[in-house]
Amino acid sequence: MTEELDLTGQDSDAGSEEVVLTPAELIERLEQAWMNEKFAPELLESKSEIVECVMEQLDHMEENLRRAKKGDLKVSIHRMEMERIRYVLSSYLRCRLMKIEKFFPHILEKEKTTHKGELSSLSPEELVFAKQYMANTETYLKNVALKHMPPNLQTVDLLRSVPKPDLDSYVFLRVKERQENILVEPETDEQRDYVIDLEEGSQHLIRYKTIAPLVASGAVQLI
Protein backbone atom coordinates (compact mmCIF):
# COMPACT_ATOMS: atom_id res chain seq x y z
CA MET A 1 0.00 0.00 0.00
CA THR A 2 1.94 3.02 -1.22
CA GLU A 3 -0.73 5.22 -2.80
CA GLU A 4 -1.38 8.60 -1.20
CA LEU A 5 -4.70 9.72 0.25
CA ASP A 6 -6.30 13.17 0.31
CA LEU A 7 -7.35 14.39 3.72
CA THR A 8 -9.08 17.70 4.17
CA GLY A 9 -7.74 19.39 7.28
CA GLN A 10 -8.56 22.62 9.09
CA ASP A 11 -5.22 23.41 10.66
CA SER A 12 -4.63 26.73 8.95
CA ASP A 13 -6.14 30.07 9.92
CA ALA A 14 -7.17 30.64 6.33
CA GLY A 15 -9.65 27.75 6.48
CA SER A 16 -9.53 24.22 5.18
CA GLU A 17 -6.48 22.90 3.39
CA GLU A 18 -5.81 19.67 1.57
CA VAL A 19 -3.27 17.39 3.22
CA VAL A 20 -1.87 14.42 1.30
CA LEU A 21 -1.09 11.44 3.53
CA THR A 22 0.29 8.00 2.85
CA PRO A 23 -1.70 5.09 4.35
CA ALA A 24 0.94 4.73 7.08
CA GLU A 25 0.66 8.44 7.97
CA LEU A 26 -3.12 8.14 8.02
CA ILE A 27 -3.03 5.23 10.47
CA GLU A 28 -0.53 7.14 12.61
CA ARG A 29 -2.96 10.07 12.75
CA LEU A 30 -5.74 7.71 13.81
CA GLU A 31 -3.59 6.18 16.57
CA GLN A 32 -2.64 9.64 17.85
CA ALA A 33 -6.30 10.70 17.94
CA TRP A 34 -7.17 7.43 19.72
CA MET A 35 -4.53 7.88 22.43
CA ASN A 36 -5.46 11.51 23.01
CA GLU A 37 -9.14 10.64 23.25
CA LYS A 38 -8.47 7.78 25.69
CA PHE A 39 -6.51 9.91 28.12
CA ALA A 40 -8.11 13.36 27.79
CA PRO A 41 -10.81 14.05 30.41
CA GLU A 42 -12.97 15.95 27.90
CA LEU A 43 -14.34 15.19 24.45
CA LEU A 44 -11.78 16.35 21.88
CA GLU A 45 -12.26 17.75 18.41
CA SER A 46 -13.95 15.36 16.02
CA LYS A 47 -11.59 13.62 13.58
CA SER A 48 -14.34 12.53 11.23
CA GLU A 49 -12.19 13.09 8.13
CA ILE A 50 -9.58 10.68 9.45
CA VAL A 51 -12.27 8.12 10.36
CA GLU A 52 -13.80 8.28 6.88
CA CYS A 53 -10.42 7.96 5.17
CA VAL A 54 -9.46 4.97 7.35
CA MET A 55 -12.74 3.24 6.55
CA GLU A 56 -12.17 3.83 2.83
CA GLN A 57 -8.64 2.49 3.16
CA LEU A 58 -9.92 -0.66 4.92
CA ASP A 59 -12.40 -1.25 2.10
CA HIS A 60 -9.57 -0.83 -0.41
CA MET A 61 -7.34 -3.27 1.49
CA GLU A 62 -10.19 -5.80 1.68
CA GLU A 63 -10.69 -5.57 -2.08
CA ASN A 64 -6.98 -6.14 -2.68
CA LEU A 65 -7.01 -9.21 -0.42
CA ARG A 66 -9.89 -10.72 -2.39
CA ARG A 67 -7.73 -10.60 -5.50
CA ALA A 68 -4.65 -12.03 -3.78
CA LYS A 69 -3.59 -15.64 -4.16
CA LYS A 70 -4.96 -18.02 -1.55
CA GLY A 71 -2.35 -19.37 0.83
CA ASP A 72 -0.05 -16.35 0.39
CA LEU A 73 1.59 -15.50 3.72
CA LYS A 74 1.23 -11.81 2.93
CA VAL A 75 -2.54 -12.20 3.00
CA SER A 76 -2.50 -13.38 6.62
CA ILE A 77 -0.16 -10.54 7.63
CA HIS A 78 -2.28 -7.90 5.91
CA ARG A 79 -5.46 -9.31 7.43
CA MET A 80 -3.94 -9.15 10.92
CA GLU A 81 -3.02 -5.52 10.28
CA MET A 82 -6.58 -4.78 9.13
CA GLU A 83 -7.97 -6.28 12.33
CA ARG A 84 -5.59 -4.15 14.37
CA ILE A 85 -6.71 -1.01 12.54
CA ARG A 86 -10.37 -1.94 13.00
CA TYR A 87 -9.77 -2.39 16.73
CA VAL A 88 -8.16 1.06 17.05
CA LEU A 89 -10.94 2.66 15.01
CA SER A 90 -13.77 1.02 16.98
CA SER A 91 -12.07 1.76 20.30
CA TYR A 92 -11.68 5.42 19.33
CA LEU A 93 -15.36 5.73 18.39
CA ARG A 94 -16.53 3.85 21.52
CA CYS A 95 -14.45 6.14 23.71
CA ARG A 96 -16.08 9.20 22.17
CA LEU A 97 -19.58 7.75 22.59
CA MET A 98 -18.89 6.99 26.25
CA LYS A 99 -17.84 10.60 26.82
CA ILE A 100 -20.94 11.89 25.05
CA GLU A 101 -23.15 9.74 27.28
CA LYS A 102 -21.28 10.90 30.38
CA PHE A 103 -21.11 14.65 29.63
CA PHE A 104 -23.91 15.18 27.09
CA PRO A 105 -25.48 18.37 28.57
CA HIS A 106 -22.13 20.17 28.70
CA ILE A 107 -21.10 18.96 25.25
CA LEU A 108 -24.36 20.15 23.69
CA GLU A 109 -24.14 23.47 25.54
CA LYS A 110 -20.62 23.98 24.19
CA GLU A 111 -21.87 23.08 20.72
CA LYS A 112 -24.41 25.92 20.90
CA THR A 113 -21.61 28.45 21.37
CA THR A 114 -19.49 27.07 18.52
CA HIS A 115 -19.53 29.60 15.70
CA LYS A 116 -19.64 28.74 12.03
CA GLY A 117 -16.17 27.86 10.77
CA GLU A 118 -14.88 26.83 14.20
CA LEU A 119 -13.82 23.27 14.88
CA SER A 120 -16.58 21.18 16.42
CA SER A 121 -16.23 18.54 19.12
CA LEU A 122 -18.96 16.47 17.46
CA SER A 123 -19.32 14.92 14.05
CA PRO A 124 -22.80 15.31 12.46
CA GLU A 125 -23.65 11.72 13.48
CA GLU A 126 -22.42 12.29 17.05
CA LEU A 127 -24.48 15.47 17.29
CA VAL A 128 -27.63 13.54 16.35
CA PHE A 129 -26.76 10.85 18.90
CA ALA A 130 -26.14 13.42 21.67
CA LYS A 131 -29.45 15.18 21.03
CA GLN A 132 -31.38 11.91 20.99
CA TYR A 133 -29.61 10.75 24.16
CA MET A 134 -30.53 13.97 25.93
CA ALA A 135 -34.16 13.77 24.78
CA ASN A 136 -34.41 10.13 25.89
CA THR A 137 -32.85 10.95 29.26
CA GLU A 138 -35.31 13.78 29.87
CA THR A 139 -38.25 11.57 28.85
CA TYR A 140 -37.06 8.77 31.14
CA LEU A 141 -36.66 11.12 34.12
CA LYS A 142 -40.13 12.58 33.60
CA ASN A 143 -41.85 9.22 33.26
CA VAL A 144 -40.03 7.45 36.10
CA ALA A 145 -39.52 10.14 38.72
CA LEU A 146 -40.43 13.74 38.00
CA LYS A 147 -44.14 13.22 37.31
CA HIS A 148 -44.50 11.80 40.82
CA MET A 149 -42.89 14.86 42.40
CA PRO A 150 -44.65 18.06 43.53
CA PRO A 151 -45.25 20.52 40.65
CA ASN A 152 -42.43 22.83 41.76
CA LEU A 153 -39.95 19.93 41.56
CA GLN A 154 -40.94 18.51 38.19
CA THR A 155 -38.06 20.08 36.30
CA VAL A 156 -34.40 19.17 36.39
CA ASP A 157 -31.39 21.17 35.22
CA LEU A 158 -29.17 18.60 33.55
CA LEU A 159 -26.29 21.07 33.28
CA ARG A 160 -26.21 21.24 37.07
CA SER A 161 -27.06 17.59 37.67
CA VAL A 162 -24.49 16.01 35.35
CA PRO A 163 -20.81 16.44 36.37
CA LYS A 164 -18.51 18.38 34.07
CA PRO A 165 -15.29 16.90 32.66
CA ASP A 166 -12.52 17.26 35.25
CA LEU A 167 -10.06 19.53 33.45
CA ASP A 168 -7.93 19.71 36.61
CA SER A 169 -7.01 16.04 36.35
CA TYR A 170 -3.40 15.16 35.56
CA VAL A 171 -2.27 13.49 32.34
CA PHE A 172 0.96 11.99 31.03
CA LEU A 173 2.25 13.46 27.78
CA ARG A 174 5.12 13.29 25.32
CA VAL A 175 6.28 16.53 23.70
CA LYS A 176 6.34 16.40 19.89
CA GLU A 177 7.30 20.06 19.32
CA ARG A 178 9.34 22.20 21.72
CA GLN A 179 7.18 24.65 23.67
CA GLU A 180 8.39 27.68 25.60
CA ASN A 181 6.90 29.67 28.46
CA ILE A 182 4.04 27.33 29.38
CA LEU A 183 2.21 28.87 32.34
CA VAL A 184 1.57 26.35 35.11
CA GLU A 185 -1.09 27.31 37.63
CA PRO A 186 -0.49 26.65 41.34
CA GLU A 187 -2.17 23.79 43.17
CA THR A 188 -2.76 25.91 46.29
CA ASP A 189 -3.28 29.60 46.99
CA GLU A 190 0.08 29.76 48.77
CA GLN A 191 1.96 28.86 45.59
CA ARG A 192 2.75 31.16 42.69
CA ASP A 193 2.30 30.67 38.98
CA TYR A 194 5.44 29.55 37.23
CA VAL A 195 6.60 29.07 33.64
CA ILE A 196 8.24 25.98 32.15
CA ASP A 197 9.69 24.95 28.80
CA LEU A 198 8.77 21.60 27.26
CA GLU A 199 11.64 20.03 25.35
CA GLU A 200 10.92 17.91 22.28
CA GLY A 201 10.80 14.21 23.18
CA SER A 202 10.46 14.83 26.92
CA GLN A 203 7.65 13.29 28.98
CA HIS A 204 5.70 15.01 31.73
CA LEU A 205 2.81 14.66 34.18
CA ILE A 206 0.85 17.92 34.00
CA ARG A 207 -2.62 19.22 34.80
CA TYR A 208 -4.74 18.72 31.67
CA LYS A 209 -6.13 22.25 31.35
CA THR A 210 -2.58 23.62 31.27
CA ILE A 211 -1.74 21.77 28.07
CA ALA A 212 -5.20 21.31 26.50
CA PRO A 213 -4.42 23.79 23.67
CA LEU A 214 -1.20 21.89 22.93
CA VAL A 215 -3.16 18.63 22.65
CA ALA A 216 -5.55 20.31 20.20
CA SER A 217 -2.69 21.67 18.09
CA GLY A 218 -0.80 18.36 18.06
CA ALA A 219 2.27 19.79 19.81
CA VAL A 220 2.00 17.15 22.53
CA GLN A 221 0.73 13.56 22.58
CA LEU A 222 -1.09 12.08 25.57
CA ILE A 223 0.28 8.70 26.64
Side-chain angles (χ1 to χ4, degrees):
M1 296 305 206
T2 58
E3 69 272 17
E4 295 180 333
L5 303 172
D6 290 336
L7 177 66
T8 301
Q10 293 181 322
D11 299 329
S12 67
D13 295 334
S16 63
E17 61 178 5
E18 190 175 88
V19 180
V20 179
L21 300 175
T22 65
E25 290 170 337
L26 176 66
I27 301 308
E28 183 181 1
R29 290 264 188 116
L30 172 64
E31 291 174 344
Q32 290 172 358
W34 173 50
M35 295 291 286
N36 283 339
E37 199 68 64
K38 281 181 66 176
F39 298 119
E42 65 175 345
L43 185 73
L44 300 179
E45 169 202 338
S46 171
K47 301 293 184 182
S48 55
E49 296 93 350
I50 292 177
V51 170
E52 291 172 5
C53 286
V54 169
M55 293 179 68
E56 290 175 3
Q57 182 65 12
L58 285 171
D59 290 340
H60 183 64
M61 292 173 70
E62 187 67 46
E63 185 62 30
N64 285 345
L65 289 181
R66 291 195 190 100
R67 296 197 297 265
K69 295 180 179 179
K70 293 184 178 180
D72 191 337
L73 180 61
K74 292 181 180 179
V75 172
S76 299
I77 295 174
H78 280 294
R79 196 163 293 282
M80 288 175 62
E81 176 63 9
M82 288 176 60
E83 293 304 316
R84 186 188 73 84
I85 295 170
R86 287 195 179 101
Y87 170 81
V88 173
L89 180 60
S90 61
S91 179
Y92 170 71
L93 295 175
R94 281 199 307 269
C95 182
R96 290 184 60 81
L97 287 178
M98 289 173 63
K99 287 185 180 179
I100 293 172
E101 292 176 353
K102 189 174 182 180
F103 304 121
F104 64 95
H106 308 288
I107 292 172
L108 288 174
E109 187 66 19
K110 180 181 178 181
E111 197 69 17
K112 292 179 183 177
T113 61
T114 301
H115 301 291
K116 188 176 181 180
E118 292 182 351
L119 297 176
S120 173
S121 297
L122 297 171
S123 68
E125 296 80 8
E126 289 171 339
L127 179 59
V128 171
F129 173 80
K131 289 181 176 179
Q132 290 178 342
Y133 191 84
M134 185 166 188
N136 292 340
T137 300
E138 290 176 335
T139 300
Y140 177 79
L141 288 174
K142 289 177 182 177
N143 292 338
V144 172
L146 295 180
K147 70 179 183 180
H148 303 293
M149 304 289 284
N152 61 324
L153 298 176
Q154 289 187 359
T155 59
V156 60
D157 185 352
L158 290 175
L159 278 173
R160 296 180 62 183
S161 303
V162 176
K164 294 182 179 181
D166 183 9
L167 304 185
D168 287 319
S169 59
Y170 282 77
V171 293
F172 285 98
L173 63 91
R174 180 184 299 111
V175 182
K176 298 174 63 179
E177 301 172 8
R178 188 177 189 275
Q179 303 295 313
E180 297 180 347
N181 301 325
I182 303 300
L183 181 64
V184 178
E185 297 181 1
E187 294 185 24
T188 64
D189 294 337
E190 290 76 19
Q191 295 174 310
R192 296 182 179 180
D193 295 352
Y194 59 95
V195 173
I196 62 172
D197 294 337
L198 301 179
E199 299 295 336
E200 182 179 350
S202 61
Q203 299 183 19
H204 305 268
L205 175 63
I206 299 180
R207 197 192 311 245
Y208 173 77
K209 69 179 181 182
T210 300
I211 50 84
L214 302 182
V215 175
S217 69
V220 304
Q221 171 75 54
L222 299 186
I223 57 177

